[in-house]
Amino acid sequence: MIQAILVFNNHGKPRLVRFYQRFPEEIQQQIVRETFHLVLKRDDNICNFLEGGSLIGGSDYKLIYRHYATLYFVFCVDSSESELGILDLIQVFVETLDKCFENVCELDLIFHMDKVHYILQEVVMGGMVLETNMNEIVAQIEAQNRLEKSELLAWGL
Amino acid sequence: MSDIVEKTLTALPGLFLQNQPGGGPAAAKASFSSRLGSLVRGITALTSKHEEEKLIQQELSSLKATVSAPTTTLKMMKECMVRLIYCEMLGYDASFGYIHAIKLAQQGNLLEKRVGYLAVSLFLHESHELLLLLVNTVVKDLQSTNLVEVCMALTVVSQIFPREMIPAVLPLIEDKLQHSKEIIRRKAVLALYKFHLIAPNQVQHIHIKFRKALCDRDVGVMAASLHIYLRMIKENSSGYKDLTGSFVTILKQVVGGKLPVDFNYHILLQVLQKYILLLYLTMILTISAIFIFLSLAILFECVHTVYSIYPKSELLEKAAKCIGKFVLSPKINLKYLGLKALTYVIQQDPTLALQHQMTIIECLDHPDPIIKRETLELLYRITNAQNVTVIVQKMLEYLHQSKEEYVIVNLVGKIADVLVLNTVDTYAPDNAWFIQTMNAVFSVGGDVMHPDIPNNFLRLLAEGFDDETEDQQLRLYAVQSYLTLLDMENVFYPQRFLQVMSWVLGEYSYLLDKETPAEVIAKLYKLLMNDSVSSETKTWLIAAVTKLTPQAHSFDTVERLIHEFTISLDTCMRQHAFELKHLHENVELMKSLLPVDRSCEDLVVDASLSFLDGFVAEGLSQGAAPYKPHHQRQEEKLSQEKVLNFEPYGLSFSSSGFTGRQSPAGISLGSDISGNSAETGLKETNSLKLEGIKKLWGKEGYLPKKESKTGDESGALPVPQESIMENVDQAITKKDQSQVLTQSKEEKEKQLLASSLFVGLGSESTVNLLGKADTVSHKFRRKSKVKEAKSGETTSTHNMTCSSFSSLSNVAYEDDYYLNTLHDRGDKELKTFSLNSELLDSESLTELPLVEKFSNCSLSTPSLFADNSMEIFHPPQSTAASVAKESSLASSFLEETTEYIHSNAMEICNNETISVSSYKIWKDDCLLMVWSVTNKSGLELKSANLEIFPAENFKVTEQPGCCLPVMEAESTKSFQYSVQIEKPFTEEILSGFISYHMMDAHSAQLEFSVNLSLLDFIRPLKISSEDFGKLWLSFANDVKQNVKMSESQAALPFALKTLQQKLRLHIIEIIGNEGLLACQLLPSIPCLLHCRVYADVLALWFRSSCSTLPDYLLYQCQKVMEGS
């Protein structure tokens, strides 16, 4: 199961924080900070896996991350998830973002935080992977967008 | 500025509502989104955390005003929510907005609802009280025809949903499993999985629907359902064997390329890992030809699977090749996984490490600390006497670089493990190296390390190895090295290290030639005066000084120390200082009290406190009441209560009858004893008392205490009368230590087994990793001191109590026996027949005659004892030997145990020598499991023994006569265990093994397991309607549920009859369309059921004193009603 999905930039500013397991507010912030420090220390050309340490749940947990330009995408998962699988999932998630925002950049994530969450909801639901096919995810998001447009039209009339 | 914007905003809603065309909405939208924009920009522009805080607080207060203003429209609220989410993400409290988020989800249109739901799922958690407000909205949205709404509701349900409200939405979500849209089905399956995680007993009845989901035509739905199966199979691997076929089909399709390579298949593999599937794995391993990223993930799982199932050489070969590919891959991630896999398999196949030794060495110097750590982990697994220095050196290097506490704890543990803990033969090649490495470990690991490490190290020093001179050298070296370490100025050592040092110095300083004890004391004194030393360490230090004092010749320092600390503010230190002071006055006594090098000799302790006898006698003569142990006083109180209890319904009649018979004797015995303790001999007293206890309690819970008493007793016997008063408190602490020692000795024994396996692996294949062929043999060999005498004594007392117990119970048993055999013999055939079929379908009791008989016979014969037949069964001679042995076996059971309802014998495991059948007897007060072992071979078996693995939900008690010294050829013997339930459950597995010796002395083991259902522990409860009323009001836990009935069973009497027959509920009364039923869960947890029928709906209402029982019973009821 996925315990948490964290996205932060090179300076450690959180851009997306989603926990699937309940932690108190302060602990969440602490987890984000410590994860950032763990990940920051690592070069780009070394492996993408980290053992979670004492942060979330101890040795049964692992951090799997990817670094894209200014953003780090970190998934914290338990031992039942496959490392390579999650690595691929991050790629799928980022590609989907790219498709939905047309050349996604950090600013998109900031200003359309809610949309990013909706996309994530179509990929991971309650800590379980829901869909890994990018086209399916995009189709779901587009259906929602159409809805939004029709709503706006209704207002405009 | 922001104020002005605020005002314009609050003025805007009017415009919105009138739907006026023009700039209104657009301007509003622009201003809102730019609010978030400006907020973000503002934050990024700031430099300090403090300024950010100020800005956000400002933002939050303006948001607070906006959201609580009545004029704020939902549309504006939506924008506010996004900003609130942003603030909350940055770690600021926005709890004032929670209720508004819920409101938005309740009232908004689709888009606003979406934001509302998102905000709720981000803000709240499962047990948040506001969440209850959301339940209605979710229910409404689940029923909506709009797909998007349904999706949103399902998403929010799977993220957060209060556990106690699950019944409200459960049927709706179940319906969604049949929805035409895949995405809805998929989400519904995941939501149900989530429910399964938080409240497993609520979703038990939909397992069949999960099966449908597994066979869904949509891949996603199927993949989603795998989560559930992984979980359930982990809990109960034998229950889903029938699904293996489906799993294999799926896997075949994946391999055949018919299904897209999807993410979730690794779960499938984990599922399959539980079963043996050699065939298809070979197929998957060939996927390696296609080097796609995801197939690699699956490949990796395959390798895992190959090594976790029964090893088969050709598969292992292929897996090894795959691991090779991973390890040699230039991609760092794959290398990591390769190392991981290697670590995993290394114990089974150390030669694989040899193949990749160069890669491993490369990885050891890899810039990535994670890879390095993984490599060390790998090395740790292949450590042996030859490579230990190199490996430990590498580990220490890593340790010095690393700063993270987690890493330190982990690695220190491993090094210590290699050196001290795990092995009997430590790998350490020589003394100096060993001590120095341990010094390094202690100074780096310091206070974060596991407390076992210093303890084990000290134990190793104290107990020593076979060679006495070697031991002395080791100790001497340790003492010397510590003295040098203490000589260094301005170095701070961790407290644990100081404690180790002070103990070693205290014990072994006498080995020194040149330095006198007084000098050592001076050093310790210097440490004692150091402020950075914790008070716990100071007590260690002062203990060391105390030990050294008798050996010293000049006492200046000691006197100074006494002077210093008798006025210390720390009471503990003061106490020690005073002790030292008084002992110091009598050096001769001190010498005898603190002998040199006696740390691991067992102290003889007068645990009976016989020196207090005079004092006790005096007290008694002055009219004081004799002492009664705590449990005895409680028992007396209880039995008094029992006498006064006139309640007609004997919920726990069996146990009260039990104590009623036994306790008077026990009590009188006990009180006699304590009264006479001054006069009577020690041993006699204790053994008498033991029997008293056994009879009173007769449960396993009490045994450990008894054992420890026996242990003390054996130690206490040879106490010399001069056992000194002053010695007492010290002696007691020492006694504790020695107990700890003996306890951990058992652990050590286990570790010994594990390590001997490990060592065997390493040496046999000569893993000479780094080419350094050190020829050092294992110098250190621990002495194994097994206290056989002690354990022997314990078992003998145990046996004695058992036999006396059984002889008592025999009398009562025989009376019942005759009554019952008469009563039941007529129905024997029918009963066993029906039970036979029931066992096949072990989930429920489906046969009608069975339960009727059950209520007839078992309730009319309340038996007091759990053991009804202690004789050994012999198969009747008349049966033809060639015909299936089981049948003869079963018939022999019948003759012996017909007074209770029982199941037919079922063979659960066999091999060429023995076969084991099991068989349940549903007694009034417990479930009796009988395992009958048939010796099929022509040889005699020795010491056949049956053991049951401890299970958390059960308490299994061995019935007497379970260990058989000899088993003749072709004979059948049975083992009986009474099973008590500790905690309700639906279905659990009880497993164990049978071990025996053949004549030619080779021993064998055979494992088995049996399914137990809750129904095995349910018995009817016969009470009157009035009692029902009273009990009903007194129970707090209730559960209500409506169950639909089919046409055929729509009448109440019929439904109740079903419940009575299948669940063993007792029908108390039927009043109109209502019915009252009662039952009890053994030993005596009552549960009441109130039923009411409307049209075709049966409303069930359970109440019980146990909080979980109603849930489980409800589930059983549902199953029964659906099934019929």
Side-chain angles (χ1 to χ4, degrees), chain A residues 55-114:
Chain A
L55 276 181
I56 306 181
S59 55
D60 192 31
Y61 291 86
K62 42 202 176 189
L63 300 174
I64 294 156
Y65 74 97
R66 260 174 192 260
H67 189 196
Y68 293 93
T70 61
L71 289 175
Y72 284 99
F73 286 74
V74 186
F75 280 45
C76 174
V77 301
D78 70 8
S79 58
S80 72
E81 296 290 350
S82 144
E83 285 95 344
L84 290 176
I86 293 285
L87 214 52
D88 191 64
L89 186 73
I90 300 178
Q91 182 67 28
V92 168
F93 179 46
V94 174
E95 276 178 33
T96 315
L97 287 177
D98 195 53
K99 214 163 191 177
C100 292
F101 289 112
E102 284 153 20
N103 263 330
V104 70
C105 67
E106 192 183 339
L107 284 179
D108 290 317
L109 261 68
I110 305 171
F111 290 107
H112 302 283
M113 202 179 42
D114 48 339

Side-chain angles (χ1 to χ4, degrees), chain B residues 5-284:
Chain B
V5 176
E6 212 54 62
K7 272 173 201 157
T8 12
L9 291 180
T10 40
L12 277 169
L15 295 174
F16 276 105
L17 293 176
Q18 284 152 25
N19 262 351
Q20 281 182 349
K29 184 175 185 291
S31 72
F32 268 113
S33 60
S34 65
R35 281 306 305 269
L36 178 65
S38 63
L39 175 65
V40 174
R41 266 189 286 276
I43 291 170
T44 22
L46 294 176
T47 45
S48 77
K49 185 83 186 156
H50 179 68
E51 283 175 71
E52 180 194 297
E53 214 162 284
K54 230 166 77 185
L55 187 79
I56 300 263
Q57 289 306 346
Q58 215 177 329
E59 176 75 18
L60 281 175
S61 54
S62 88
L63 275 171
K64 197 170 182 175
T66 320
V67 293
S68 49
T71 45
T72 311
T73 59
L74 290 173
K75 193 165 172 68
M76 284 161 66
M77 194 72 94
K78 187 179 110 186
E79 313 290 349
C80 291
M81 273 310 144
V82 179
R83 273 189 285 159
L84 275 178
I85 294 174
Y86 188 79
C87 296
E88 186 98 331
M89 182 177 78
L90 292 178
Y92 296 91
D93 178 53
S95 50
F96 63 85
Y98 294 176
I99 184 74
H100 296 283
I102 291 183
K103 237 196 265 173
L104 195 64
Q106 278 171 345
Q107 298 164 354
N109 62 20
L110 220 52
L111 283 175
E112 292 146 10
K113 199 186 264 296
R114 187 163 72 156
V115 179
Y117 272 138
L118 176 65
V120 168
S121 74
L122 286 169
F123 290 159
L124 303 184
H125 56 93
E126 264 143 20
S127 46
H128 201 285
E129 54 204 347
L130 284 178
L131 217 52
L132 292 178
L133 298 174
L134 197 72
V135 174
N136 263 332
T137 320
V138 171
V139 170
K140 207 179 72 202
D141 286 337
L142 280 176
Q143 288 164 326
S144 158
T145 49
N146 189 329
L147 286 185
V148 182
E149 269 181 0
V150 177
C151 272
M152 286 192 305
L154 283 173
T155 308
V156 86
V157 160
S158 76
Q159 316 268 38
I160 41 162
F161 205 73
R163 188 180 169 276
E164 59 275 19
M165 294 313 287
I166 289 175
V169 292
L170 194 56
L172 290 169
I173 296 181
E174 275 177 56
D175 286 345
K176 296 286 174 283
L177 287 177
Q178 271 96 44
H179 203 277
S180 56
K181 276 277 187 199
E182 294 87 29
I183 185 76
I184 304 267
R185 288 206 299 273
R186 201 182 296 179
K187 286 190 172 179
V189 168
L190 284 183
L192 287 175
Y193 172 63
K194 193 78 186 184
F195 287 169
H196 181 79
L197 286 182
I198 54 177
N201 46 352
Q202 307 239 28
V203 288
Q204 273 161 338
H205 61 285
I206 38 180
H207 283 180
I208 304 146
K209 289 178 180 159
F210 287 150
R211 281 182 193 225
K212 261 186 208 145
L214 184 68
C215 309
D216 200 283
R217 59 182 181 280
D218 180 59
V219 187
V221 182
M222 183 270 292
S225 70
L226 288 178
H227 283 285
I228 298 177
Y229 280 105
L230 176 62
R231 177 104 189 162
M232 292 197 293
I233 289 171
K234 264 187 191 158
E235 282 162 10
N236 170 10
S237 57
S238 61
Y240 300 93
K241 273 206 173 118
D242 53 322
L243 283 175
T244 321
S246 321
F247 292 137
V248 171
T249 325
I250 298 169
L251 200 57
K252 260 186 190 165
Q253 285 172 330
V254 177
V255 175
K258 284 183 195 126
L259 293 178
V261 178
D262 193 359
F263 171 82
N264 278 340
Y265 293 132
H266 72 270
I267 294 183
L268 175 66
L269 276 162
Q270 286 176 14
V271 168
L272 289 172
Q273 204 166 320
K274 305 280 168 194
Y275 302 119
I276 305 162
L277 285 162
L278 303 168
L279 226 128
Y280 299 104
L281 281 170
T282 12
M283 288 161 60
I284 308 173

Side-chain angles (χ1 to χ4, degrees), chain B residues 613 616-618 620 672-682 684-685:
Chain B
D613 284 354
V616 173
E618 196 183 316
L620 284 172
D672 271 352
I673 290 153
S674 39
N676 298 339
S677 72
E679 287 89 26
T680 31
L682 237 176
E684 209 182 321
T685 315

Side-chain angles (χ1 to χ4, degrees), chain B residues 759-776:
Chain B
V759 167
L761 250 180
S763 57
E764 157 191 288
S765 55
T766 57
V767 186
N768 187 2
L769 177 74
L770 294 162
K772 279 196 184 179
D774 282 1
T775 47
V776 190

Side-chain angles (χ1 to χ4, degrees), chain B residues 475-755:
Chain B
R475 289 168 192 160
L476 181 64
Y477 191 85
V479 171
Q480 281 166 345
S481 81
Y482 293 153
L483 285 176
T484 14
L485 282 178
L486 286 181
D487 273 341
M488 279 191 269
E489 296 288 331
N490 294 327
V491 187
F492 294 100
Y493 300 108
Q495 303 300 323
R496 286 257 170 76
F497 194 21
L498 287 177
Q499 290 165 11
V500 168
M501 283 187 199
S502 54
W503 190 87
V504 173
L505 289 179
E507 282 293 330
Y508 298 116
S509 285
Y510 73 93
L511 293 169
L512 286 172
D513 301 327
K514 52 182 198 298
E515 267 175 293
T516 61
E519 283 169 58
V520 180
I521 291 179
K523 279 186 182 135
L524 294 174
Y525 177 71
K526 212 169 87 190
L527 269 179
L528 265 174
M529 301 313 288
N530 193 335
D531 286 337
S532 63
V533 174
S534 78
S535 60
E536 191 199 347
T537 313
K538 279 185 180 168
T539 51
W540 283 75
L541 285 165
I542 206 162
V545 172
T546 317
K547 278 182 226 162
L548 287 175
T549 309
Q551 301 160 26
H553 302 296
S554 67
F555 300 113
D556 304 345
T557 335
V558 178
E559 271 153 19
R560 204 144 32 106
L561 189 144
I562 292 171
H563 178 73
E564 196 85 40
F565 283 98
T566 41
I567 53 164
S568 162
L569 283 179
D570 186 340
T571 31
C572 195
M573 287 304 291
R574 209 160 62 222
Q575 161 84 14
H576 283 289
F578 272 113
E579 275 170 19
L580 179 58
K581 188 178 168 191
H582 287 288
L583 284 174
H584 178 54
E585 282 160 11
N586 186 350
V587 179
E588 279 315 304
L589 173 68
M590 200 171 185
K591 272 185 180 157
S592 65
L593 200 62
L594 300 163
V596 167
D597 191 24
R598 294 284 170 81
S599 63
C600 43
E601 277 168 31
D602 290 326
L603 266 177
V604 176
V605 177
D606 184 3
S608 64
L609 306 179
S610 61
F611 50 84
L612 284 174
D613 284 354
F615 180 74
V616 173
E618 196 183 316
L620 284 172
S621 68
Q622 282 172 6
Y627 171 75
K628 289 171 190 164
H630 177 69
H631 60 88
Q632 197 181 331
R633 283 183 307 234
Q634 218 165 24
E635 185 66 23
E636 271 179 4
K637 218 169 88 190
L638 265 178
S639 65
Q640 274 167 7
E641 276 171 9
K642 284 277 152 59
V643 173
L644 292 173
N645 186 6
F646 291 110
E647 290 295 312
Y649 48 91
L651 288 183
S652 52
F653 58 86
S654 60
S655 69
S656 77
F658 185 58
T659 43
R661 263 199 181 192
Q662 299 288 333
S663 60
I667 286 165
S668 61
L669 259 181
S671 47
D672 271 352
I673 290 153
S674 39
N676 298 339
S677 72
E679 287 89 26
T680 31
L682 237 176
K683 187 178 182 184
E684 209 182 321
T685 315
N686 268 359
S687 62
L688 270 174
K689 216 189 264 172
L690 284 178
E691 265 193 25
I693 292 162
K694 180 67 186 170
K695 272 176 203 158
L696 282 173
W697 293 77
K699 302 245 164 86
E700 224 173 27
Y702 219 82
L703 290 180
K705 203 162 190 175
K706 192 195 79 182
E707 277 173 26
S708 73
K709 270 198 180 166
T710 344
D712 290 348
E713 186 195 324
S714 65
L717 286 175
V719 174
Q721 269 307 310
E722 313 90 78
S723 59
I724 331 136
M725 288 285 234
E726 307 95 277
N727 201 351
V728 168
D729 63 341
Q730 232 167 354
I732 283 171
T733 49
K734 287 264 170 86
K735 185 194 79 183
D736 288 346
Q737 279 170 7
S738 74
Q739 270 180 356
V740 171
L741 273 182
T742 42
Q743 251 178 18
S744 55
K745 225 157 236 166
E746 289 171 13
E747 273 175 38
K748 213 172 77 187
E749 217 92 299
K750 279 182 206 157
Q751 286 170 351
L752 195 151
L753 184 71
S755 62

